[in-house]
Amino acid sequence: MKASITCMLLWLLCFAGAQAQNEGIYMLSAVVKKMPCDNELLMLIGKSKICISKKPLIQLSEVEYISDIQYDPVIKKHYVDIGLSSAAVQTLNRGFASLPNNRYAFVMKNEVICVVKVESEITVRFFRMGYDLNLKDLTEVHKVLKTLRP
């Protein structure tokens, strides 16, 4: 009995470790019709399939904060700020310099939480997401994000 419980606990720890390794900010991969995607995940909202790079460019440990849901009265949209370490900002800026049209997937719990396009060099240590979501969907995304940084 003890051996089977120990094996089960080890299996759960290994699974949890593997799951955590899949989290982070990934580069989106272009899908070629003749070649299948090697690393495809579902979006949290809408459940569409997203093809991402095999390894994250930025680890979740480099995400420093998740803001509360904010409202921009000028464009009348809600959003969330995701704070990044200076190393993460440098990584995204290098990505923008070499591939300016690329997009990035924020992956948690084996799902793509959001997709972000870096449209210019990042001069502040956060990116804003959620303008393209309705408040109900943004609230769902925010709930998942807050499990990372309450």
Side-chain angles (χ1 to χ4, degrees):
M1 180 73 169
K2 285 184 180 179
S4 64
I5 292 173
T6 303
C7 287
M8 185 180 286
L9 287 174
L10 286 173
W11 181 83
L12 286 171
L13 287 172
C14 288
F15 177 75
Q19 178 105 359
Q21 289 176 340
N22 291 334
E23 296 184 328
I25 298 176
Y26 290 74
M27 195 165 54
L28 264 61
S29 296
V31 178
V32 180
K33 289 182 181 181
K34 295 180 183 179
M35 295 177 54
C37 178
D38 290 336
N39 196 13
E40 191 173 71
L41 293 177
L42 291 177
M43 290 284 297
L44 174 68
I45 304 297
K47 300 299 182 191
S48 59
K49 293 179 181 179
I50 302 291
C51 188
I52 61 173
S53 58
K54 289 186 181 188
K55 294 184 180 182
L57 295 175
I58 298 170
Q59 300 296 320
L60 286 188
S61 60
E62 295 182 78
V63 175
E64 295 183 342
Y65 68 87
I66 307 295
S67 76
D68 290 332
I69 295 175
Q70 307 287 320
Y71 182 73
D72 185 333
V74 174
I75 62 170
K76 297 180 173 107
K77 297 276 185 175
H78 290 88
Y79 65 90
V80 171
D81 287 337
I82 299 175
L84 302 170
S85 70
S86 58
V89 170
Q90 290 175 1
T91 299
L92 289 175
N93 281 336
R94 281 193 305 272
F96 172 74
S98 60
L99 296 166
N101 293 320
N102 206 11
R103 297 179 303 152
Y104 301 90
F106 194 108
V107 176
M108 285 180 64
K109 299 179 181 180
N110 220 26
E111 287 185 299
V112 177
I113 305 304
C114 64
V115 173
V116 177
K117 182 177 180 183
V118 178
E119 296 181 354
S120 63
E121 184 175 327
I122 299 171
T123 57
V124 293
R125 288 183 36 195
F126 67 89
F127 66 86
R128 193 159 278 171
M129 60 83 48
Y131 283 135
D132 57 336
L133 298 174
N134 63 46
L135 184 56
K136 179 182 174 230
D137 290 344
L138 182 59
T139 301
E140 186 176 343
V141 167
H142 186 255
K143 185 171 75 174
V144 174
L145 289 171
K146 282 304 230 182
T147 64
L148 173 64
R149 299 280 180 261

